[in-house]
Amino acid sequence: MGFLALLPAGLAALGMYGVISHIVAQRTREIGLRRALGATDAQVTGEVVREGMRDATLGAAGGLALGWIITGRLTALLFQVSPGDPVTLATAAGLFLGVALLACWIPARRATRADPV
């Protein structure tokens, strides 16, 4: 059961990384121009991570709301967990946001290594 839980989590992490990496690749010229005009590595990394985490936070908030609604309907399938258990939902959201942070940070760091020319 744990494997079946980790498989979609891994696929979601891979998907987030792919999307953020693609967005950063599309913005390579813009990032190079910003760096040529004096933007520091921290500024470039911060901007990419901030934009990615904004979307991830909105997704986590929507997921928490839907999760809370759905668990009320699946009470018969829940064992040793109450419907809408805040610890479980917060742990899942925290894990998702941690993976999203890593998925944003790796392409952002790679973007700072690009030659501004």
Side-chain angles (χ1 to χ4, degrees), residues 58-78:
L58 289 173
L64 282 173
L66 285 174
W68 187 74
I69 292 169
I70 290 172
T71 56
R73 300 189 193 281
L74 299 175
T75 304
L77 299 174
L78 298 174

Side-chain angles (χ1 to χ4, degrees), residues 32-100:
L33 182 62
R34 287 178 187 264
R35 293 200 56 225
L37 292 174
T40 64
D41 290 349
Q43 289 172 330
V44 171
T45 301
E47 181 182 345
V48 172
V49 169
R50 195 172 20 262
E51 288 178 13
M53 289 305 293
R54 180 193 62 212
D55 295 339
T57 303
L58 289 173
L64 282 173
L66 285 174
W68 187 74
I69 292 169
I70 290 172
T71 56
R73 300 189 193 281
L74 299 175
T75 304
L77 299 174
L78 298 174
F79 300 102
Q80 298 178 353
V81 177
S82 64
D85 181 34
V87 173
T88 303
L89 292 175
T91 301
L95 180 64
F96 170 76
L97 289 173
V99 168

Side-chain angles (χ1 to χ4, degrees), residues 95-113:
L95 180 64
F96 170 76
L97 289 173
V99 168
L101 180 63
L102 186 64
C104 292
W105 184 75
I106 292 171
R109 291 298 301 161
R110 190 175 38 207
T112 60
R113 292 189 188 122

Side-chain angles (χ1 to χ4, degrees), residues 20-44:
I20 299 295
S21 182
H22 180 70
I23 290 170
V24 169
Q26 286 182 329
R27 295 179 57 196
T28 301
R29 285 184 168 180
E30 174 195 342
I31 291 169
L33 182 62
R34 287 178 187 264
R35 293 200 56 225
L37 292 174
T40 64
D41 290 349
Q43 289 172 330
V44 171

